[in-house]
Amino acid sequence: MASRESGSKSGDTDLTTLQLRLPFKDQDGFVEGFSRSVKGNLVTIKTRKEKEAGARFLLDLRLADGQSMLRAKARVTRAVKAKTQGFLVELQLDDLDENSAEMLRRLNRTEPKQALAPKPEPAKPKGTPPPPPSEAFDDARKASQEENDRAPCGDEKQTQTPRSENESDAVEEDDDLDLELDVAPPGPELVFLEPPSSVPDEGPIIGIDLGTTNSCVAMVQGNKPVIIRSREGYNTIPSVISVSSKNKLMVGHPARSQMLTNPEQTVYGAKRLVGRMFESDTVQLVSNRFHYPICSDSKGNAAVQLGEKVVSLEEVQALVLAECKEVAQNVLGQRVHRAVVTVPAYYSDSQRQAVRESARLAGLKLERILNEPTAAALAYGLDRNLEKRVLVYDLGGGTFDATAMSIEGNVFEVLATGGDTFLGGVDFDNQVVDWLLERFAETNGRQFEGDHVALSRVSAAAEAAKVALSEAQTHEVFVPFLSMDETGRPMDLKCTISRDDLIELTQELVDRSIDVVRDVILDADLKPSDVDDVILVGGQSRMPLVRQKITEMFGRDPHPGVHPDEAVALGAAMLAGSLGDIGSIVLIDVLPMTIGVGLPGGRFKRVIERNTPLPASKAYAISTPYRKGRKVEVAVFQGEDTNVSANEYLGTLRLPVPRRHRKSSINLEVSFDLGPECVLEVSARDMDTGKMVRSSFATSDTPDALRKRLDMEAPSVSKDGSERAEELSKRGGGFWSRLKRAVGG
Ligand code: AMP
């Protein structure tokens, strides 16, 4: 950035310019030194005089020699008294020119190097309105406080900066222009969320599409659903968290930028693993596909190891939800406590429960869990007085759903749904990675033997190539210095990939999704010609091959009017906007996967069949063996296999038996109640005593413990189950075996 405008932009003239000369000699020094004061589009500076929340400025950050580094409109979101002198002021930046936006991205990507700032203390808010909340700033204060206790006194002096100067006639002078840079770090220490003891049931309700790759926030404003942009101005927020080597926690765009340099401490794709037991076949088969370590938490659920800490995937998702909430708060200038959150239609009960837990941890009252295809259908058809049958094809970063729906006015009814929580864009990327590594081996005469970081660079190049080939026919891939030979000669990855190559590599994946669509259409008792519109959602549905296959199957092009990234969040916002208005929207969902119980021998008894309309209830009587002194247990599963070990374990209902019970068996009536949001309650009644137990699946046993209880001789897998296991491992493909070889995993 050689030069920068110093004059006011049109429309800025009514704003006072805050011009800060910082003690940095050049751009690199500025980026390194100032990055700790930046989080997303929030910048923390130190001023002599207090600034009122809501006050607006034109912020102009300059080097010591006067060269402008960043210029943006800024609003004070919060100010607190600093411990030593002056005030810590948090500014939210918007309306950045292109250079400034690029600089902000760079600041967010950069790891801060210097010592930290003096300890600030909270100040009483002055005047009205009260400062809008910013958890980032609270974290910054906390982190600043902690760092200060460790920081040597000398560092404190070094961080002091000269007074800013009024330089140009174009800059309006303010007698308050007595500013100093402070290096207060906006990034928090590794402190995870502490859920509030109570969440007020008031205020606006936002819609959140909690995606595998990206999340999106929307809300109804002036009767229209609108997307709330991320701090950086994008329409989505990456569903990624990262912990830097200095224990700085990042969420969203700054976290995603760590994926290449710090892959082992950067968590993405939590949506694929959340709500699953660590020892489940699925987690065991796929855990080595992730660049970060997956472990078991104290309850046996899949979790991640970040530094010293085991972090549950509910916590990871909660951090993403909290970021969505904070972004909305910053835009609205008021607290947000309530949300509608979307999930794949094909999510099991335990995955839905996990999302509830994440919302609780993020301090959000979950007003409703909404299925993603239903949300997309709302965005397509709400208040349009339609009478149509539609097919929603949702191929995102990690999951795939196909859902047939009927829309009559504002009654949205799911006719049938099906999907795969392990089919998404990342599987397409993996195919391309394998292909690229073969090209690497061909051109360099040796197999790729890089580490996680090198592999992340190949994954990023593969994804970029895949996305580019949705527009272009060919794409040049170049990843320099991917590894070195024994003489120290750097080896690059350099090749050309064509759209035909991509089709050959991924055709099977697209065909798999089309097979699901065919089943769903059949389950819904429809023919392709009965479907009026096909709605494509999810980033991967942009692939031309997907559109082509849909057109071939339905004999018409997909509906063009729905935005694949935004539709789900917009639909969630529409539902959120109508929640007070009883009956204005009627949603009828179905159970995505059969629910049943485990029987001795490991057989699965189906109780409520998939695609049963919700709400649904079913009760049945069983006679179960009983040994004195033991509780009677009913293990509940979800899935389509005849054998429980291939289905998802939901939990166990335990029924205490009275001491006087003398028989060797006990007669139970087991009832399953599914609410409209597909949340399951199971109860059992002892038919002799009338004693009743309502489920809360408090203990999640490991599959091994469960097998023992079900008296299974060995963990056998049925034909269906083993086929699926094989399929999952096949999907790992050569890439994952190479990964293992490469990183010794
Ligand atoms: P989502 O979870 O809906 O945000 O989808 C993210 C997935 O969509 C990622 O795997 C992206 O690589 C993929 N994606 C985004 N844009 C495109 C595109 N233009 N062509 C193909 N795939 C895309």
Side-chain angles (χ1 to χ4, degrees):
M1 227 177 319
S3 67
R4 208 160 270 277
E5 286 175 21
S6 62
S8 298
K9 291 182 283 174
S10 66
D12 297 342
T13 41
D14 51 336
L15 294 179
T16 304
T17 300
L18 275 182
Q19 191 184 83
L20 284 170
R21 273 207 188 196
L22 309 176
F24 304 114
K25 288 200 197 86
D26 56 24
Q27 196 182 103
D28 288 346
F30 169 77
V31 169
E32 245 169 42
F34 195 64
S35 63
R36 71 181 67 251
S37 296
V38 178
K39 186 183 179 204
N41 66 344
L42 295 178
V43 168
T44 304
I45 57 169
K46 195 173 173 195
T47 63
R48 297 235 157 155
K49 293 185 184 170
E50 189 175 359
K51 302 281 172 215
E52 287 212 359
R56 298 186 68 87
F57 303 95
L58 190 63
L59 183 69
D60 184 2
L61 297 178
R62 296 183 172 216
L63 297 181
D65 67 3
Q67 187 187 337
S68 181
M69 289 285 102
L70 191 151
R71 216 174 134 80
K73 283 189 192 168
R75 181 173 63 88
V76 177
T77 50
R78 209 157 196 207
V80 295
K81 198 163 184 298
K83 193 194 173 199
T84 44
Q85 51 171 328
F87 294 85
L88 284 177
V89 177
E90 184 190 65
L91 298 165
Q92 183 183 323
L93 307 187
D94 53 48
D95 211 359
L96 286 81
D97 61 33
E98 212 176 284
N99 287 342
S100 299
E102 178 48 38
M103 174 55 78
L104 190 63
R105 279 194 286 275
R106 218 180 130 189
L107 287 164
N108 272 293
R109 282 198 300 264
T110 301
E111 227 2 63
K113 285 235 169 92
Q114 292 176 13
L116 297 170
K119 183 161 94 178
E121 282 171 352
K124 283 193 193 109
K126 183 176 127 187
T128 54
S134 162
E135 283 143 29
F137 189 64
D138 286 341
D139 290 337
R141 232 176 40 197
K142 205 187 297 173
S144 171
Q145 169 102 30
E146 285 164 13
E147 282 287 346
N148 183 57
D149 294 343
R150 296 198 299 266
C153 299
D155 283 346
E156 235 186 81
K157 270 200 185 137
Q158 280 171 20
T159 64
Q160 298 297 317
T161 61
R163 289 166 153 232
S164 61
E165 291 171 24
N166 185 14
E167 272 222 328
S168 126
D169 291 344
V171 178
E172 192 182 321
E173 192 164 352
D174 178 358
D175 61 4
D176 216 336
L177 258 177
D178 204 6
L179 297 166
E180 296 175 15
L181 162 71
D182 190 26
V183 287
E189 285 289 295
L190 187 52
V191 176
F192 283 85
L193 294 159
E194 281 171 28
S197 51
S198 69
V199 178
D201 193 5
E202 60 190 22
I205 311 176
I206 55 173
I208 302 176
D209 167 9
L210 183 59
T212 310
T213 322
N214 296 299
S215 294
C216 187
V217 196
M219 72 167 304
V220 172
Q221 283 179 326
N223 278 338
K224 266 194 74 178
V226 288
I227 296 294
I228 296 176
R229 300 207 172 271
S230 74
R231 296 171 198 271
E232 298 79 9
Y234 298 104
N235 62 353
T236 56
I237 297 167
S239 308
V240 183
I241 75 159
S242 181
V243 176
S244 75
S245 54
K246 296 198 172 162
N247 249 12
K248 181 176 170 183
L249 176 64
M250 287 166 270
V251 183
H253 287 280
R256 193 176 60 181
S257 64
Q258 296 286 307
M259 247 154 111
L260 285 183
T261 51
N262 187 17
E264 286 171 52
Q265 297 289 284
T266 302
V267 184
Y268 57 90
K271 186 173 172 177
R272 294 182 121 186
L273 297 169
V274 74
R276 294 182 190 271
M277 304 296 294
F278 175 67
E279 289 201 20
S280 67
D281 286 349
T282 311
V283 172
Q284 289 304 308
L285 280 166
V286 302
S287 60
N288 63 353
R289 290 201 215 173
F290 293 85
H291 295 171
Y292 49 86
I294 296 171
C295 57
S296 171
D297 70 7
S298 57
K299 294 187 209 136
N301 293 313
V304 292
Q305 180 86 43
L306 286 179
E308 306 274 283
K309 208 170 147 62
V310 172
V311 182
S312 75
L313 293 160
E314 284 87 342
E315 279 179 285
V316 173
Q317 301 248 57
L319 287 162
V320 176
L321 287 177
E323 174 70 5
C324 294
K325 176 174 105 161
E326 201 174 317
V327 161
Q329 286 179 164
N330 288 341
V331 167
L332 293 172
Q334 68 179 119
R335 280 204 174 271
V336 172
H337 305 291
R338 305 195 289 165
V340 169
V341 178
T342 60
V343 297
Y346 210 60
Y347 246 19
S348 70
D349 183 74
S350 35
Q351 289 169 307
R352 285 164 198 265
Q353 296 293 0
V355 171
R356 291 195 169 278
E357 174 63 6
S358 298
R360 187 187 72 79
L361 291 170
L364 279 170
K365 180 167 183 289
L366 189 52
E367 294 292 341
R368 179 142 187 166
I369 288 188
L370 176 65
N371 285 338
E372 287 160 10
T374 308
L378 285 169
Y380 158 86
L382 187 67
D383 292 333
R384 287 178 62 205
N385 206 15
L386 301 176
E387 204 167 303
K388 296 217 176 204
R389 273 172 295 207
V390 297
L391 186 282
V392 182
Y393 176 103
D394 182 354
L395 186 58
T399 58
F400 171 67
D401 294 342
T403 305
M405 299 191 69
S406 103
I407 303 174
E408 284 186 26
N410 280 350
V411 179
F412 293 75
E413 180 175 3
V414 176
L415 303 174
T417 191
D420 189 334
T421 41
F422 278 89
L423 176 59
V426 69
D427 299 297
F428 289 67
D429 300 346
N430 290 340
Q431 294 297 114
V432 180
V433 167
D434 273 349
W435 188 88
L436 290 178
L437 293 182
E438 280 167 23
R439 300 293 81 71
F440 176 88
E442 268 171 26
T443 48
N444 291 291
R446 63 181 62 219
Q447 294 292 323
F448 166 77
E449 280 176 0
D451 57 7
H452 270 305
V453 172
L455 210 52
S456 302
R457 293 176 67 208
V458 181
S459 300
E463 189 189 1
K466 175 195 76 175
V467 170
L469 291 173
S470 288
E471 302 295 328
Q473 290 297 333
T474 59
H475 178 75
E476 302 295 326
V477 178
F478 180 49
V479 186
F481 306 117
L482 197 54
S483 62
M484 276 193 281
D485 66 15
E486 56 285 339
T487 66
R489 180 181 65 95
M491 292 185 288
D492 306 333
L493 168 63
K494 195 169 187 314
C495 60
T496 305
I497 183 167
S498 70
R499 191 183 280 185
D500 287 343
D501 294 328
L502 181 67
I503 290 176
E504 207 182 309
L505 291 168
T506 58
Q507 177 128 8
E508 200 191 312
L509 297 173
V510 178
D511 286 345
R512 244 170 67 199
S513 75
I514 296 294
D515 287 346
V516 174
V517 172
R518 204 168 283 119
D519 289 349
V520 166
I521 298 281
L522 278 178
D523 280 353
D525 247 342
L526 298 175
K527 298 188 291 302
S529 56
D530 296 330
V531 173
D532 298 301
D533 267 324
V534 180
I535 302 168
L536 298 187
V537 279
Q540 188 61 47
S541 73
R542 290 198 178 92
M543 185 182 189
L545 183 64
V546 167
R547 309 180 77 85
Q548 180 196 321
K549 296 263 173 183
I550 291 285
T551 306
E552 280 165 17
M553 182 173 181
F554 290 92
R556 76 179 67 86
D557 287 339
H559 181 73
V562 170
H563 193 295
D565 296 331
E566 297 179 357
V568 171
L570 291 172
M574 286 167 162
L575 182 69
S578 76
L579 280 179
D581 195 358
I582 295 163
S584 63
I585 300 178
V586 178
L587 302 180
I588 304 168
D589 271 314
V590 296
L591 175 65
M593 279 176 276
T594 301
I595 287 181
V597 295
L599 299 178
R603 284 167 301 127
F604 178 56
K605 178 174 171 56
R606 305 165 80 88
V607 179
I608 305 185
E609 291 289 334
R610 81 185 163 116
N611 284 328
T612 300
L614 301 177
S617 299
K618 200 154 176 188
Y620 73 100
I622 52 168
S623 176
T624 181
Y626 166 68
R627 259 182 261 145
K628 199 165 169 47
R630 283 180 53 181
K631 288 181 177 166
V632 168
E633 296 182 341
V634 179
V636 182
F637 294 83
Q638 188 160 23
E640 306 308 321
D641 205 279
T642 52
N643 192 312
V644 291
S645 62
N647 291 335
E648 199 74 35
Y649 170 52
L650 298 184
T652 298
L653 189 68
R654 296 208 164 86
L655 186 72
V657 181
R659 285 216 182 119
R660 59 181 185 282
H661 189 90
R662 305 247 174 264
K663 297 182 206 157
S664 60
S665 67
I666 190 159
N667 298 318
L668 296 176
E669 185 187 65
V670 182
S671 307
F672 286 72
D673 291 305
L674 280 160
E677 293 170 50
C678 205
V679 174
L680 175 69
E681 273 211 4
V682 185
S683 58
R685 194 168 63 90
D686 178 341
M687 285 161 78
D688 298 325
T689 64
K691 193 165 176 60
M692 180 112 169
V693 176
R694 211 153 246 293
S695 80
S696 59
F697 294 132
T699 47
S700 298
D701 290 349
T702 65
D704 264 359
L706 187 69
R707 280 184 191 115
K708 275 184 203 134
R709 271 216 321 283
L710 292 172
D711 296 324
M712 291 170 70
E713 288 178 27
S716 67
V717 179
S718 72
K719 186 167 172 288
D720 288 3
S722 52
E723 270 171 8
R724 174 157 172 80
E726 212 173 86
E727 191 183 289
L728 279 169
S729 65
K730 221 164 60 196
R731 282 161 60 184
F735 166 65
W736 295 102
S737 46
R738 255 184 232 123
L739 169 78
K740 275 186 164 177
R741 267 208 316 275
V743 299

